[in-house]
Amino acid sequence: SEFEGDCGITASAEIGNNIINMPELAITITNTTQKEIAAVKFYAVPYDVYGDEIKGWTTQSKLYTDEPIPAGKTTSINYSFIEQSVKTVKLYVYSVYFADGTEWGDKDATTSKILSDAPTIEVTIKS
């Protein structure tokens, strides 16, 4: 599977509200390799207060950063949701693209492949 082995990052995330009181996901990514990371793709499954998955045209599922992350360095990225009812998220990493052109994972993976095989990142609720 393209999702086997070390993906080259460690990541953690928390969800809270941004300055305008909309749900915001903050992800901290550490590059654990000796190579620069050029991009990382995540798949987010948002849930409401009842634990039901939020689906619809306002749902943002595919998230990414193309900010370079040097070898051994840590960066933080934030994603604001436009759906007010997002209370928690299940987060998957499905592509880590390195500056040398190599990739862990599959940037074109199908949703079913991501949900069944990609590693998850624990998301905590900001108190």
Side-chain angles (χ1 to χ4, degrees):
S1 168
E2 55 275 346
F3 298 120
E4 290 180 3
D6 182 9
C7 66
I9 67 168
T10 58
S12 62
E14 64 180 12
I15 192 161
N17 289 327
N18 64 17
I19 196 162
I20 59 170
N21 210 30
M22 295 298 287
E24 183 174 67
L25 181 65
I27 306 171
T28 301
I29 305 165
T30 300
N31 180 344
T32 60
T33 73
Q34 298 300 312
K35 303 187 286 186
E36 180 176 275
I37 292 174
V40 181
K41 285 190 169 188
F42 299 96
Y43 189 84
V45 181
Y47 296 92
D48 66 16
V49 71
Y50 296 103
D52 295 328
E53 183 178 344
I54 299 170
K55 297 179 180 179
W57 71 271
T58 60
T59 303
Q60 298 158 265
S61 294
K62 294 194 175 182
L63 311 175
Y64 75 96
T65 180
D66 59 2
E67 289 291 321
I69 307 169
K73 299 296 182 186
T74 299
T75 191
S76 294
I77 52 176
N78 295 324
Y79 297 99
S80 293
F81 289 93
I82 56 175
E83 177 60 54
Q84 182 85 29
S85 59
V86 174
K87 297 300 179 201
T88 190
V89 173
K90 189 165 187 179
L91 189 63
Y92 301 82
V93 58
Y94 69 98
S95 175
V96 178
Y97 186 72
F98 296 95
D100 67 2
T102 59
E103 178 186 22
W104 172 92
D106 180 2
K107 67 178 178 54
D108 298 317
T110 63
T111 300
S112 62
K113 183 75 171 165
I114 293 167
L115 297 177
S116 68
D117 295 346
T120 58
I121 297 167
E122 184 175 339
V123 178
T124 58
I125 298 172
K126 193 185 293 185
S127 50

